[in-house]
mmCIF file of all heavy atoms in Angstrom:
data_model
loop_
_atom_site.group_PDB
_atom_site.id
_atom_site.type_symbol
_atom_site.label_atom_id
_atom_site.label_comp_id
_atom_site.label_asym_id
_atom_site.label_seq_id
_atom_site.Cartn_x
_atom_site.Cartn_y
_atom_site.Cartn_z
ATOM 1 N N TRP P 10 1.176 -2.151 12.282
ATOM 2 C CA TRP P 10 1.236 -2.798 13.562
ATOM 3 C C TRP P 10 -0.146 -3.315 14.121
ATOM 4 O O TRP P 10 -1.120 -2.796 13.533
ATOM 5 C CB TRP P 10 2.038 -1.963 14.638
ATOM 6 C CG TRP P 10 3.352 -1.681 14.331
ATOM 7 C CD1 TRP P 10 4.071 -0.678 13.547
ATOM 8 C CD2 TRP P 10 4.399 -2.483 14.797
ATOM 9 N NE1 TRP P 10 5.303 -0.862 13.472
ATOM 10 C CE2 TRP P 10 5.585 -1.880 14.381
ATOM 11 C CE3 TRP P 10 4.521 -3.575 15.640
ATOM 12 C CZ2 TRP P 10 6.880 -2.489 14.669
ATOM 13 C CZ3 TRP P 10 5.878 -3.997 16.012
ATOM 14 C CH2 TRP P 10 7.023 -3.483 15.444
ATOM 15 N N ASP P 11 -0.132 -4.145 15.089
ATOM 16 C CA ASP P 11 -1.482 -4.673 15.698
ATOM 17 C C ASP P 11 -2.343 -3.587 16.009
ATOM 18 O O ASP P 11 -2.036 -2.645 16.692
ATOM 19 C CB ASP P 11 -1.108 -5.433 16.938
ATOM 20 C CG ASP P 11 0.153 -6.457 16.660
ATOM 21 O OD1 ASP P 11 1.179 -6.013 16.394
ATOM 22 O OD2 ASP P 11 -0.201 -7.735 16.705
ATOM 23 N N GLY P 12 -3.591 -3.698 15.705
ATOM 24 C CA GLY P 12 -4.705 -2.773 16.062
ATOM 25 C C GLY P 12 -4.698 -1.496 15.397
ATOM 26 O O GLY P 12 -5.482 -0.671 15.768
ATOM 27 N N GLU P 13 -3.876 -1.298 14.375
ATOM 28 C CA GLU P 13 -3.832 -0.023 13.815
ATOM 29 C C GLU P 13 -4.937 0.116 12.502
ATOM 30 O O GLU P 13 -5.249 -0.914 11.991
ATOM 31 C CB GLU P 13 -2.429 0.255 13.076
ATOM 32 C CG GLU P 13 -1.436 0.646 14.014
ATOM 33 C CD GLU P 13 -0.304 1.225 13.298
ATOM 34 O OE1 GLU P 13 0.295 0.606 12.260
ATOM 35 O OE2 GLU P 13 0.244 2.153 13.796
ATOM 36 N N ALA P 14 -5.244 1.390 12.204
ATOM 37 C CA ALA P 14 -6.001 1.731 11.000
ATOM 38 C C ALA P 14 -5.171 2.832 10.346
ATOM 39 O O ALA P 14 -4.983 3.847 10.854
ATOM 40 C CB ALA P 14 -7.313 2.227 11.328
ATOM 41 N N VAL P 15 -4.523 2.493 9.209
ATOM 42 C CA VAL P 15 -3.748 3.440 8.485
ATOM 43 C C VAL P 15 -4.605 3.797 7.141
ATOM 44 O O VAL P 15 -4.927 2.986 6.301
ATOM 45 C CB VAL P 15 -2.450 2.781 7.905
ATOM 46 C CG1 VAL P 15 -1.629 3.679 7.213
ATOM 47 C CG2 VAL P 15 -1.723 2.304 9.309
ATOM 48 N N ALA P 16 -4.724 5.050 6.932
ATOM 49 C CA ALA P 16 -5.328 5.626 5.742
ATOM 50 C C ALA P 16 -4.346 5.988 4.620
ATOM 51 O O ALA P 16 -3.402 6.633 4.892
ATOM 52 C CB ALA P 16 -6.308 6.705 6.018
ATOM 53 N N LEU P 17 -4.543 5.481 3.343
ATOM 54 C CA LEU P 17 -3.684 5.974 2.386
ATOM 55 C C LEU P 17 -4.456 7.002 1.614
ATOM 56 O O LEU P 17 -5.567 6.787 1.126
ATOM 57 C CB LEU P 17 -3.448 4.790 1.366
ATOM 58 C CG LEU P 17 -2.774 3.578 2.010
ATOM 59 C CD1 LEU P 17 -2.480 2.599 0.684
ATOM 60 C CD2 LEU P 17 -1.435 3.885 2.626
ATOM 61 N N VAL P 18 -3.828 8.270 1.497
ATOM 62 C CA VAL P 18 -4.503 9.291 0.917
ATOM 63 C C VAL P 18 -3.569 9.890 -0.115
ATOM 64 O O VAL P 18 -2.346 9.629 -0.253
ATOM 65 C CB VAL P 18 -4.907 10.426 1.962
ATOM 66 C CG1 VAL P 18 -5.752 9.939 2.980
ATOM 67 C CG2 VAL P 18 -3.585 11.084 2.431
ATOM 68 N N GLY P 19 -4.274 10.646 -1.206
ATOM 69 C CA GLY P 19 -3.438 11.099 -2.271
ATOM 70 C C GLY P 19 -4.269 11.297 -3.577
ATOM 71 O O GLY P 19 -5.440 10.566 -3.548
ATOM 72 N N PRO P 20 -3.993 12.083 -4.469
ATOM 73 C CA PRO P 20 -4.806 12.145 -5.699
ATOM 74 C C PRO P 20 -4.849 10.782 -6.455
ATOM 75 O O PRO P 20 -3.976 9.919 -6.258
ATOM 76 C CB PRO P 20 -4.036 13.229 -6.489
ATOM 77 C CG PRO P 20 -2.711 13.260 -6.000
ATOM 78 C CD PRO P 20 -2.766 12.778 -4.582
ATOM 79 N N ASN P 21 -5.769 10.673 -7.455
ATOM 80 C CA ASN P 21 -5.775 9.570 -8.296
ATOM 81 C C ASN P 21 -4.407 9.338 -9.058
ATOM 82 O O ASN P 21 -3.766 10.391 -9.342
ATOM 83 C CB ASN P 21 -6.815 9.658 -9.395
ATOM 84 C CG ASN P 21 -8.178 9.607 -8.793
ATOM 85 O OD1 ASN P 21 -8.379 8.987 -7.746
ATOM 86 N ND2 ASN P 21 -9.239 10.086 -9.410
ATOM 87 N N GLY P 22 -3.823 8.198 -9.173
ATOM 88 C CA GLY P 22 -2.630 7.899 -9.645
ATOM 89 C C GLY P 22 -1.387 8.093 -8.888
ATOM 90 O O GLY P 22 -0.260 8.040 -9.304
ATOM 91 N N ALA P 23 -1.656 8.414 -7.634
ATOM 92 C CA ALA P 23 -0.523 8.770 -6.681
ATOM 93 C C ALA P 23 0.218 7.535 -6.252
ATOM 94 O O ALA P 23 1.312 7.501 -5.779
ATOM 95 C CB ALA P 23 -1.061 9.375 -5.365
ATOM 96 N N GLY P 24 -0.360 6.263 -6.431
ATOM 97 C CA GLY P 24 0.315 5.020 -6.151
ATOM 98 C C GLY P 24 -0.324 4.310 -4.986
ATOM 99 O O GLY P 24 0.164 3.258 -4.423
ATOM 100 N N LYS P 25 -1.514 4.621 -4.430
ATOM 101 C CA LYS P 25 -2.151 4.013 -3.451
ATOM 102 C C LYS P 25 -2.558 2.500 -3.745
ATOM 103 O O LYS P 25 -2.238 1.686 -2.896
ATOM 104 C CB LYS P 25 -3.445 4.734 -3.016
ATOM 105 C CG LYS P 25 -3.229 6.255 -2.711
ATOM 106 C CD LYS P 25 -4.512 6.916 -2.120
ATOM 107 C CE LYS P 25 -5.545 6.999 -3.199
ATOM 108 N NZ LYS P 25 -5.385 7.780 -4.269
ATOM 109 N N SER P 26 -3.227 2.365 -4.894
ATOM 110 C CA SER P 26 -3.537 0.984 -5.258
ATOM 111 C C SER P 26 -2.238 0.029 -5.495
ATOM 112 O O SER P 26 -2.324 -1.047 -5.146
ATOM 113 C CB SER P 26 -4.360 1.052 -6.543
ATOM 114 O OG SER P 26 -5.662 1.665 -6.269
ATOM 115 N N THR P 27 -1.278 0.646 -6.067
ATOM 116 C CA THR P 27 -0.200 -0.113 -6.271
ATOM 117 C C THR P 27 0.466 -0.601 -4.895
ATOM 118 O O THR P 27 0.936 -1.742 -4.767
ATOM 119 C CB THR P 27 1.013 0.747 -7.069
ATOM 120 O OG1 THR P 27 0.409 1.053 -8.397
ATOM 121 C CG2 THR P 27 2.242 -0.121 -7.282
ATOM 122 N N LEU P 28 0.599 0.350 -3.999
ATOM 123 C CA LEU P 28 1.076 -0.070 -2.642
ATOM 124 C C LEU P 28 0.286 -1.060 -2.000
ATOM 125 O O LEU P 28 0.741 -1.974 -1.472
ATOM 126 C CB LEU P 28 1.212 1.249 -1.652
ATOM 127 C CG LEU P 28 1.592 1.022 -0.326
ATOM 128 C CD1 LEU P 28 3.036 0.446 -0.218
ATOM 129 C CD2 LEU P 28 1.682 2.443 0.461
ATOM 130 N N LEU P 29 -1.040 -0.861 -2.078
ATOM 131 C CA LEU P 29 -1.957 -1.987 -1.511
ATOM 132 C C LEU P 29 -1.690 -3.303 -2.177
ATOM 133 O O LEU P 29 -1.640 -4.407 -1.489
ATOM 134 C CB LEU P 29 -3.423 -1.561 -1.644
ATOM 135 C CG LEU P 29 -3.814 -0.501 -0.673
ATOM 136 C CD1 LEU P 29 -5.397 -0.101 -1.034
ATOM 137 C CD2 LEU P 29 -3.853 -1.048 0.868
ATOM 138 N N ALA P 30 -1.523 -3.319 -3.417
ATOM 139 C CA ALA P 30 -1.335 -4.585 -4.246
ATOM 140 C C ALA P 30 -0.003 -5.234 -3.807
ATOM 141 O O ALA P 30 0.136 -6.468 -3.829
ATOM 142 C CB ALA P 30 -1.330 -4.410 -5.689
ATOM 143 N N LEU P 31 1.109 -4.391 -3.648
ATOM 144 C CA LEU P 31 2.283 -4.915 -3.165
ATOM 145 C C LEU P 31 2.211 -5.581 -1.747
ATOM 146 O O LEU P 31 2.662 -6.539 -1.481
ATOM 147 C CB LEU P 31 3.417 -3.789 -3.190
ATOM 148 C CG LEU P 31 3.949 -3.250 -4.404
ATOM 149 C CD1 LEU P 31 4.882 -2.113 -4.210
ATOM 150 C CD2 LEU P 31 4.576 -4.343 -5.198
ATOM 151 N N LEU P 32 1.478 -4.876 -0.806
ATOM 152 C CA LEU P 32 1.267 -5.291 0.507
ATOM 153 C C LEU P 32 0.499 -6.622 0.505
ATOM 154 O O LEU P 32 0.730 -7.575 1.262
ATOM 155 C CB LEU P 32 0.576 -4.396 1.366
ATOM 156 C CG LEU P 32 1.443 -3.055 1.583
ATOM 157 C CD1 LEU P 32 0.433 -2.001 2.358
ATOM 158 C CD2 LEU P 32 2.587 -3.402 2.645
ATOM 159 N N ALA P 33 -0.438 -6.798 -0.443
ATOM 160 C CA ALA P 33 -1.210 -7.861 -0.578
ATOM 161 C C ALA P 33 -0.414 -9.169 -1.165
ATOM 162 O O ALA P 33 -0.981 -10.322 -1.009
ATOM 163 C CB ALA P 33 -2.552 -7.644 -1.393
ATOM 164 N N GLY P 34 0.484 -8.912 -1.801
ATOM 165 C CA GLY P 34 1.326 -9.970 -2.539
ATOM 166 C C GLY P 34 0.674 -10.247 -3.930
ATOM 167 O O GLY P 34 1.164 -11.086 -4.537
ATOM 168 N N ALA P 35 -0.195 -9.273 -4.393
ATOM 169 C CA ALA P 35 -0.819 -9.394 -5.721
ATOM 170 C C ALA P 35 0.178 -8.928 -6.758
ATOM 171 O O ALA P 35 0.026 -9.335 -7.947
ATOM 172 C CB ALA P 35 -2.173 -8.668 -5.789
ATOM 173 N N LEU P 36 1.086 -8.043 -6.497
ATOM 174 C CA LEU P 36 2.176 -7.507 -7.260
ATOM 175 C C LEU P 36 3.461 -7.874 -6.509
ATOM 176 O O LEU P 36 3.540 -7.765 -5.485
ATOM 177 C CB LEU P 36 2.094 -6.108 -7.629
ATOM 178 C CG LEU P 36 0.952 -5.616 -8.590
ATOM 179 C CD1 LEU P 36 1.131 -4.073 -8.622
ATOM 180 C CD2 LEU P 36 1.327 -6.071 -9.998
ATOM 181 N N GLU P 37 4.509 -8.179 -7.360
ATOM 182 C CA GLU P 37 5.895 -8.272 -6.909
ATOM 183 C C GLU P 37 6.628 -6.820 -6.889
ATOM 184 O O GLU P 37 6.423 -5.976 -7.809
ATOM 185 C CB GLU P 37 6.765 -9.273 -7.623
ATOM 186 C CG GLU P 37 6.278 -10.632 -7.522
ATOM 187 C CD GLU P 37 7.197 -11.709 -8.145
ATOM 188 O OE1 GLU P 37 8.312 -11.124 -8.534
ATOM 189 O OE2 GLU P 37 6.984 -12.939 -8.137
ATOM 190 N N ALA P 38 7.438 -6.611 -5.843
ATOM 191 C CA ALA P 38 8.081 -5.348 -5.859
ATOM 192 C C ALA P 38 9.292 -5.360 -6.787
ATOM 193 O O ALA P 38 9.913 -6.455 -6.924
ATOM 194 C CB ALA P 38 8.655 -5.106 -4.375
ATOM 195 N N SER P 39 9.324 -4.252 -7.598
ATOM 196 C CA SER P 39 10.564 -4.243 -8.470
ATOM 197 C C SER P 39 11.899 -4.050 -7.626
ATOM 198 O O SER P 39 12.825 -4.294 -8.091
ATOM 199 C CB SER P 39 10.419 -3.070 -9.492
ATOM 200 O OG SER P 39 9.067 -3.310 -10.375
ATOM 201 N N VAL P 40 11.706 -3.274 -6.636
ATOM 202 C CA VAL P 40 12.840 -3.079 -5.678
ATOM 203 C C VAL P 40 12.305 -3.273 -4.336
ATOM 204 O O VAL P 40 11.076 -3.007 -4.029
ATOM 205 C CB VAL P 40 13.454 -1.532 -5.782
ATOM 206 C CG1 VAL P 40 14.014 -1.443 -7.176
ATOM 207 C CG2 VAL P 40 12.409 -0.500 -5.560
#
């Protein structure tokens, strides 16, 4: 939402980069 700062946390390989790439439109969602 407007004005927010959301931190993605978790160990390496948890899916943080994949989620960002989906949000960016650089990857298409499989579901």
Side-chain angles (χ1 to χ4, degrees):
W10 292 87
D11 312 64
E13 283 194 314
V15 180
L17 302 185
V18 301
N21 291 334
K25 303 186 298 295
S26 294
T27 300
L28 177 55
L29 284 173
L31 289 176
L32 291 171
L36 283 177
E37 290 188 7
S39 302
V40 296

